Amino acid sequence: MNPFEAQPPADQPKEAPEQPSGASLLPTPGSAAVPAPAAPHYQPAPLIEPLPELPPLPEVRSDDGRVVLSGSTVTVQGQQFSLRELERAEITPVKWILWYLLGGLGLAFVMIAFLQNQLRTGPAMLGMVATALLLAYGHRGTNRLRLHRLGREMVNFALPGDTAPWLRLTAELNRRIYRVHDYDARVAAAALAAHDEAVRLAAQLAAEAAALADQTQAQAATDENDQC
């Protein structure tokens, strides 16, 4: 028997495991490439165009110059108000009750005294004319312009003359007040829509960033398992 054949084989020297290099992580031509995490994608928010400014309106002035109406203000007897601080305006014909009653009662007394022969014809006619003028003046009265202000007390103005021109001017004033308030409401609605869109976009970006972080962590864990 050969003594060399009975000896056990010599121990193999222990070698340190080879550390993986960056080249080993590169995909080989025959292997499939590991897909990289996709970058966040989102639809860009539509740009909200600013509303154009209100076109200027011609100035409207009453015949006696007591009321001047522009596109943004109204001036009544030298006192100026902004249309944005007004809620509405209304015109109401008002009779002078005191003069109306004095004229009616005076005319009745003069006619009764004349019929009872307590007054002669000349004084009775003068009395009838005077009391009739008082009655007509009180019956004509004036026009009360009432301006309703937002959150404040209303303001009243006395405007003499016929009621019809003042009614037309008040209708134009209300139209311009509603025009200004409608524009402000549309501007506020556009600003609110832009804010809501910004909040939605920020939430979408945060959700996609969180999803990307989770995907990156999962990919890193998969790479570690493959190396082991």
Side-chain angles (χ1 to χ4, degrees):
M1 181 177 181
N2 191 356
F4 294 100
E5 294 180 359
Q7 293 181 359
D11 295 337
Q12 299 294 330
K14 297 182 179 181
E15 297 179 358
E18 182 181 359
Q19 298 295 330
S21 62
S24 61
L25 299 179
L26 294 176
T28 59
S31 62
V34 178
H41 59 86
Y42 59 90
Q43 295 294 333
L47 297 178
I48 300 178
E49 298 181 358
L51 295 177
E53 295 291 335
L54 286 175
L57 295 178
E59 184 179 87
V60 178
R61 185 183 298 268
S62 60
D63 296 337
D64 55 4
R66 295 175 182 266
V67 178
V68 179
L69 180 60
S70 66
S72 59
T73 60
V74 57
T75 304
V76 183
Q77 296 179 354
Q79 189 172 356
Q80 190 177 34
F81 301 92
S82 173
L83 297 184
R84 285 182 169 84
E85 67 175 306
L86 299 179
E87 181 180 359
R88 69 180 187 278
E90 59 183 15
I91 192 77
T92 306
V94 178
K95 297 180 180 179
W96 298 121
I97 301 299
L98 178 61
W99 299 109
Y100 191 77
L101 293 177
L102 287 177
L105 293 176
L107 182 60
F109 290 151
V110 170
M111 293 182 66
I112 291 174
F114 177 71
L115 292 177
Q116 292 180 353
N117 294 326
Q118 296 178 0
L119 289 175
R120 294 184 178 180
T121 304
M125 295 299 294
L126 291 178
M128 290 180 185
V129 171
T131 53
L133 291 177
L134 289 178
L135 180 62
Y137 180 74
H139 179 73
R140 181 179 182 181
T142 187
N143 302 289
R144 181 184 64 191
L145 176 63
R146 174 171 291 177
L147 299 179
H148 297 264
R149 297 189 293 179
L150 295 172
R152 302 176 63 183
E153 69 278 1
M154 62 186 66
V155 183
N156 298 319
F157 296 95
L159 302 175
D162 296 334
T163 306
W166 294 118
L167 287 175
R168 291 192 295 268
L169 186 60
T170 304
E172 178 64 20
L173 174 58
N174 285 325
R175 188 183 71 83
R176 298 193 179 192
I177 291 174
Y178 299 152
R179 174 175 176 264
V180 170
H181 288 325
D182 180 71
Y183 176 78
D184 292 342
R186 287 189 286 114
V187 169
L192 181 60
H195 177 267
D196 293 343
E197 182 64 22
V199 171
R200 185 195 66 80
L201 181 58
Q204 180 181 356
L205 290 178
E208 292 185 356
L212 178 60
D214 295 342
Q215 186 178 1
T216 305
Q217 293 179 358
Q219 184 65 35
T222 303
D223 294 341
E224 292 179 358
N225 294 334
D226 293 342
Q227 293 174 7
C228 296

